[in-house]
Each structure stands twice: as structure tokens, then as C-alpha cells.
Amino acid sequence: MFLCRLLARPKSLNHNFYRSLSIRSIIQPRRLVKFTVGTTLLTGLGFISYTVYESGPEWEKIRRTSYFWSRMLPVYFRYRYQQMYFQLFPAKNSEEEDKVWFNLHNKYCDYVLNVILHQRGVYIKLGQIGSTRPDILPKPYLKKFSRLQDGVPAHSGEYARQMIEQAFGKPLEELFSEFNPQPVGAATIGQAHEARLKGSNKAVIVKIQYPEVKRLFGLDFSTLKKFIRLAQPEHLPLFDEFEKAFQIEFDFRREAKALDIIGHNIMPRFPHIVIPRPIPGMSTEFVLVMEKLDGTKLVDALKIEQAKMAAEQGKTLEEFEQEMMTKYLSGELYREAKKKYTPSAFIVNTYASIIRTIDHMKNVFIFIYNHSIVPILKRYPIDYIEQHVFINPHEIIDLLNEVHAHEILIDGIFNGDPHPGNIFLLTNGKIGLIDFGQVQELSLPRRLKLAKLIILLTEGTKEEIVQHYISMGARTRHMNPYVIEKLARIGFDRDDPEICEGKNAQLFFESLGKLDEIMEFPDGYLMAARVGLLLRGLGTWLQLPHSTAQKWAPIAKKLLDTYKDIDEQLLNDTVPIDNPQ
């Protein structure tokens, strides 16, 4: 009897179940409200449970994790929806699709920027990197994220005073004769102020680190890794290396030591390079005082040159930048640059010397006029002519590549962040390098492996490149030789349309990940590859595209020749050998 009832019950339940799910019943207002509220509560409860589970007992992490996911998930799903919509219902033409995407970017770029500024920390760092990559970010995001290079909101001058006095245990007035409470720049981990030392009146820059930034970096990395796993999983191996690289940036005492070491290594060998020296006894974990360089940021000088070029063509700067970006993304800029003639470094230097001589002569006559005619005839004085800062593209690219190749391969200690904002064109014609927070050391065995890869990329076969890159630690799921060779090329040779087969570097990199999932990059080489990528990007904008391997090959050969008699076992990181000097 019980079995009969049990078997008979589903019929009644099945009937009631389908009745409850009928279209007519669902659209009843009361049931619809209950359904919506219940679904929302369950979703919210699940989101809160997931956030608490991922965050552990740290309430600050719970708050930041909740803020990020609640703001960025809707943005991600909106983009995914649009992508799926175009897959199901393709647009009539590319112009119509581009217009939809452009409107979507315009809708969310301010929103995403506000999320970044609210979260600060690693979010700003990623935004800064993205703002220099037109092959990754759409134009509306590039324009908004450019604020992150030098427009990050800073703390007050009073906050800076408290940090300095706490670091050195003295009133500010006992340390500096002058101190500008307005920061000259603010970035991911801190801000910088101009000052003059007490006694010597020497012009210096005071870097102040935000004490909470190290903790925030640690809180946010796990959240971002999960978002990247959802949105762009092929970037996870790179992000893991990125996380390791930025753990070393939070102690200014380390940066002061790096400034001393790299300055001692580089400036005697390269007289046209200036690296600011830290002031002895004025570096702590959170505050660093160093020499001030007198010049213009390369990124600002490039903007001035671009404005002049735009004016010559009868265009606005924005129109010129848009045209350059379109050419860059299509590969046309690279093709034009290879055909276009650019004056040699010698010709540019000769021209610059002539102009400086003429300006000096003019200033002499202005001095005589201001101190003779003006007092006698009561005339207005004439302003002196400011010294021009000349951009010598060949010299900049060649010198920067030579300097950084020497740091990486010969010295084994290098600055991994030579973007245009960290490069100065000094008034004396030299090039200044600043911001040595991301300094990495490479052991001699790793340097020898990298040097051998550089030579193979210029002279070796594909099979040799693949075999050596695998020996360095490159891993993909199926160990596809084509993918591994392309990864080595993009990292340490070129990322032009020829190597990327007509695609921009970002899309080509994603296609490699889809062809054969990237499991692991060679450990310890990410920052060296980043140096090459940054300098190649600078060369492209200066219309001097180049191969990192070809630029670094002479120094790579020098290192290999120095250790040509060393046993091959050294390449397995087993034999410690002192750094050659």
C-alpha cells in the first residue's frame, strides 16, 4: 500500500509543479515580485558568502573585495553580453559594430576609472601600465587612464610633513630650508615633493610612501587574480610574475641602495647618463631624499613635439594622436617608420650644438642690453632665451638599450621600469633616469642563459630557439614549438606586424594562448622582458622600430666571450661565480 501511494504521488506533484510554472502564473504580479525578491536575496547571499570565504577574517579585505566585485562584475557581464550578441546577430558592417563598442567604452570608462581611484594601490599600477598600451585598451579608456600617470590624487602637505618628521625624528625646518607642500607628482605607492637641504641649499626631491599601500597590495592581488582568471585567463602566468616583481618596491632603503649601485656601475661608463644619488643618511623605509634632476620628462617633451607636428599638418593634437594610434594598431606606423628617413644621431647633435651656440650669443647681447640700454633709456628688459631640449631619437633609443642591456647582462642589477615618465631630457643635453623602485637582480647563470637566447634570436634557427627557451623554463600545455618560438620573439626580440602576423601584440598573444595554453614563463626573466617591451614601444612612437635582440646582441656576445671557458653546468644554476667588473 505504501509503495502504491509513493508511486502515485508524483503524478499529483508533477501536475501541481507544471501548473506553478505556467506562463500565466509566473506573470502574476505577486508571484513575480516574490520570485524577483527571492532570486535577488539568494544571489546576494551567495555573493556575500563567497566574499567572506575568499577574504577570511580580514574585514578590510571583505570590504575591498565586495566593492570591487559589486562594481566590476556588472561591467564584465555587460561586455560579455555584447560580445555574445554580436556572435549571434552580427552587425551589418564593421563601422556599426565599432560604434556600439565605442559607445560602450564611453559609458564605462569614467566608471572604471573611479573604481581604480577608490581602490588605489595595485589597481592604479595596472591602470598606469594599461595607459601606455594602445594595443590593449580602447581610446576612451586610454584617455581617462592617462590621468593615472601624473594625476593621481595626493595626500596633503601636512600629511607629508608628519611622515617626514616621523621618519627622521626632527622638525621639518631642521631638515630643509625650503619645502614645497604641493607634490610635484603622485603615483601608486607615494608622492614626491621639491625641497632644499638645510645648510647646503641643495635642490632635492623627497619621496614619501603611503604606509598603507603595502597592506593594500597584499589584500588586492588575490581579488584581481580571480577576476583575471574569469576575464582573461591567458594572462595569469604573467600576473603571477607581476605580483612577485612588485613585492620589492615597498622599502625605500632598497631603492636608495639601488640608486647608489646602478649609478656607480653606469655613470662612469656612460657619461651622457645621469642617475640621481640618494642623500646620505636621509633614506628610511617610507621616505627617500635624492638629488633633483633639472630637465623635462621625455613623455612631456614628446607631447610638445607631437603638438608641433600636428600644427604643421593643420590638425589638432587629439586628431594627430588618433591618427597615430590607428596607424600603430594597424601596423602602418611600423611600415612607415622602416621606410622613412630619420637624421642620424651625429646630425641631430651637430644641429643642436649650432642652435645652442646661437642662443648663447643672443643671451650675451640681451645681457649687455639689459644692463646698459635699459637703465639709461628706461626701457623694458628683454627675457633671456631658454635653452632648447632637443629630442635625438637615434641617440635616445641606442643609448637606453645599451645602458639597460649592460645593467641586465653585465652588472646583473637593473631598473625594470624605464617608461617615458621615468626618463628625463636634461638641460645639459644628458639623459636622466629616475624611479628605481622596481630593481631586480639576475644571477650570472640566468644572465648567461638570457645572453644565449639573445644570440639565438638574431642568428639561430627556430629549433634552437625553442629548445633553449624550454631549457629556461617556458611551458605550454602541449609544448607547441610554434607557440614557444613566438613567445620568445615577443619577449626578447620584436612584437611588430611581421612577428604577430598582422595582428596587434595583445590579440596575437591571446591567440597563442588559445592555440596552446601558456602554463609558465621562464622564472626570473619577466622584468628583463618588460624592459625590452617598454623600449620597443618608445622606439615605435619615435618612429624607430627595432629588435631588442639586435640591440642587445653586442653586449650578450661580450658576456658569453668573458665566460666562454666556463663549463656548461653553469647554465643549470649550480656553479656560483662572482659578477665580472
Side-chain angles (χ1 to χ4, degrees):
M1 182 65 69
F2 175 75
L3 183 61
C4 291
R5 289 182 180 180
L6 186 62
L7 293 175
R9 187 173 295 276
K11 182 177 182 181
S12 176
L13 287 174
N14 193 45
H15 173 73
N16 291 332
F17 176 73
Y18 281 107
R19 182 180 178 184
S20 66
L21 288 182
S22 66
I23 300 294
R24 185 176 179 182
S25 63
I26 288 179
I27 63 174
Q28 291 177 4
R30 183 177 298 176
R31 288 176 177 255
L32 185 61
V33 169
K34 290 181 178 180
F35 176 80
T36 304
V37 172
T39 303
T40 303
L41 288 175
L42 285 173
T43 303
L45 185 61
F47 172 75
I48 293 172
S49 301
Y50 174 78
T51 301
V52 173
Y53 172 76
E54 291 294 334
S55 304
E58 303 176 21
W59 287 105
E60 175 69 6
K61 187 173 182 180
I62 292 174
R63 184 186 65 79
R64 293 180 65 81
T65 303
S66 302
Y67 182 91
F68 175 80
W69 284 106
S70 63
R71 264 67 175 181
M72 292 307 298
L73 267 184
V75 178
Y76 169 74
F77 285 131
R78 179 65 182 87
Y79 273 91
R80 290 292 294 170
Y81 165 79
Q82 192 62 56
Q83 186 180 37
M84 293 171 64
Y85 182 87
F86 279 135
Q87 290 174 351
L88 295 173
F89 308 102
K92 296 178 181 179
N93 49 59
S94 59
E95 289 78 12
E96 180 181 337
E97 183 173 343
D98 290 342
K99 184 178 180 181
V100 173
W101 285 118
F102 186 78
N103 291 335
L104 196 61
H105 300 328
N106 272 328
K107 177 180 179 181
Y108 284 111
C109 60
D110 277 314
Y111 180 86
V112 174
L113 177 64
N114 288 332
V115 172
I116 290 174
L117 292 175
H118 179 274
Q119 297 289 82
R120 300 180 71 92
V122 68
Y123 297 92
I124 290 178
K125 176 63 72 176
L126 291 174
Q128 287 174 334
I129 294 173
S131 70
T132 64
R133 297 298 303 269
D135 56 338
I136 296 178
L137 289 182
K139 183 186 174 184
Y141 284 95
L142 281 172
K143 190 173 182 180
K144 295 295 181 182
F145 285 14
S146 64
R147 278 186 55 193
L148 301 173
Q149 291 294 339
D150 53 12
V152 178
H155 288 294
S156 66
E158 184 59 33
Y159 171 86
R161 170 186 284 271
Q162 292 174 2
M163 288 295 299
I164 294 170
E165 293 180 346
Q166 180 180 345
F168 297 116
K170 295 180 180 180
L172 188 71
E173 289 73 19
E174 292 186 15
L175 298 167
F176 307 106
S177 57
E178 296 179 19
F179 181 82
N180 185 357
Q182 295 297 322
V184 294
T188 315
I189 68 169
Q191 60 195 53
H193 294 259
E194 293 176 324
R196 287 188 177 273
L197 291 178
K198 187 81 170 180
S200 66
N201 210 37
K202 183 182 181 68
V204 295
I205 292 293
V206 184
K207 288 183 65 173
I208 301 166
Q209 184 182 145
Y210 307 136
E212 74 277 8
V213 74
K214 184 176 182 179
R215 181 175 56 85
L216 294 183
F217 264 65
L219 292 177
D220 295 333
F221 262 113
S222 61
T223 301
L224 282 169
K225 286 174 74 172
K226 290 176 177 62
F227 185 76
I228 290 172
R229 185 177 288 111
L230 172 69
Q232 288 189 311
E234 65 275 0
H235 286 283
L236 269 178
L238 282 175
F239 193 77
D240 289 337
E241 291 293 317
F242 176 82
E243 182 179 6
K244 294 177 187 176
F246 281 95
Q247 297 303 320
I248 62 177
E249 197 176 358
F250 301 111
D251 192 340
F252 282 169
R253 293 169 296 191
R254 188 179 188 276
E255 181 174 351
K257 184 178 179 181
L259 285 168
D260 261 334
I261 294 174
I262 298 178
H264 174 76
N265 290 341
I266 293 300
M267 290 203 295
R269 295 186 178 96
F270 300 93
H272 284 84
I273 291 291
V274 178
I275 296 172
R277 308 307 292 264
I279 305 302
M282 300 196 74
S283 59
T284 71
E285 183 178 1
F286 299 116
V287 179
L288 171 61
V289 183
M290 71 184 78
E291 296 173 340
K292 179 187 175 184
L293 300 184
D294 187 14
T296 305
K297 281 185 178 182
L298 179 58
V299 65
D300 296 332
L302 289 175
K303 288 179 181 178
I304 294 172
E305 290 299 313
Q306 286 182 344
K308 291 179 181 178
M309 295 172 66
E312 290 173 358
Q313 299 177 21
K315 301 174 182 176
T316 65
L317 179 59
E318 186 174 354
E319 290 172 341
F320 180 80
E321 288 177 341
Q322 176 61 29
E323 180 183 346
M324 292 287 286
M325 189 177 299
T326 302
K327 288 182 177 181
Y328 175 80
L329 294 175
S330 66
E332 185 181 350
L333 182 64
Y334 174 80
R335 292 188 291 271
E336 284 184 358
K338 294 196 73 173
K339 298 176 183 177
K340 185 177 179 180
Y341 167 76
T342 54
S344 67
F346 174 77
I347 292 175
V348 174
N349 282 333
T350 302
Y351 172 77
S353 298
I354 294 172
I355 295 299
R356 289 193 183 99
T357 302
I358 294 173
D359 287 344
H360 279 305
M361 293 175 63
K362 288 180 179 179
N363 282 334
V364 170
F365 285 109
I366 291 173
F367 177 84
I368 295 172
Y369 175 84
N370 287 344
H371 290 79
S372 59
I373 304 298
V374 169
I376 296 173
L377 301 180
K378 307 298 182 183
R379 304 278 185 175
Y380 288 104
I382 300 176
D383 293 332
Y384 291 99
I385 297 173
E386 294 184 3
Q387 292 296 312
H388 291 81
V389 177
F390 289 91
I391 297 179
N392 187 334
H394 281 283
E395 186 177 52
I396 291 173
I397 292 301
D398 290 344
L399 185 57
L400 290 176
N401 271 288
E402 187 178 1
V403 166
H404 286 87
H406 195 283
E407 290 179 14
I408 293 169
L409 296 173
I410 302 299
D411 299 328
I413 178 170
F414 64 96
N415 177 25
D417 196 22
H419 67 75
N422 289 339
I423 302 169
F424 273 67
L425 301 180
L426 306 183
T427 54
N428 60 7
K430 298 183 179 183
I431 295 177
L433 304 177
I434 66 167
D435 196 352
F436 282 64
Q438 294 180 38
V439 168
Q440 184 175 348
E441 298 182 50
L442 274 183
S443 65
L444 179 59
R446 280 199 169 107
R447 283 182 274 145
L448 288 169
K449 286 183 178 180
L450 179 56
K452 186 174 179 180
L453 176 66
I454 294 296
I455 300 304
L456 289 175
L457 288 169
T458 57
E459 303 173 0
T461 65
K462 291 184 179 180
E463 291 75 16
E464 290 173 327
I465 294 170
V466 170
Q467 183 178 1
H468 185 68
Y469 204 48
I470 291 174
S471 74
M472 292 173 66
R475 296 287 183 272
T476 63
R477 183 169 295 279
H478 304 294
M479 300 301 286
N480 185 321
Y482 167 81
V483 172
I484 293 173
E485 191 253 343
K486 288 295 184 180
L487 290 176
R489 292 278 182 197
I490 292 173
F492 295 98
D493 187 17
R494 296 179 290 153
D495 53 3
D496 55 55
E498 180 183 346
I499 294 297
C500 297
E501 301 175 359
K503 299 178 182 178
N504 68 61
Q506 170 65 15
L507 292 178
F508 185 69
F509 182 80
E510 291 181 7
S511 69
L512 292 178
K514 293 176 182 177
L515 182 62
D516 188 5
E517 183 183 354
I518 303 165
M519 306 298 293
E520 189 176 352
F521 286 94
D523 184 45
Y525 297 97
L526 174 66
M527 296 299 282
R530 183 171 182 243
V531 170
L533 287 168
L534 287 170
L535 295 180
R536 291 203 302 272
L538 175 61
T540 301
W541 282 109
L542 291 174
Q543 300 193 38
L544 287 173
H546 62 273
S547 158
T548 298
Q550 289 180 359
K551 292 290 185 184
W552 293 8
I555 293 179
K557 289 180 180 178
K558 178 182 176 182
L559 178 70
L560 292 174
D561 287 343
T562 303
Y563 292 101
K564 60 184 176 182
D565 297 327
I566 296 300
D567 190 272
E568 188 72 14
Q569 183 184 8
L570 177 63
L571 297 183
N572 297 320
D573 283 9
T574 57
V575 182
I577 293 183
D578 293 334
N579 180 29
Q581 293 295 336

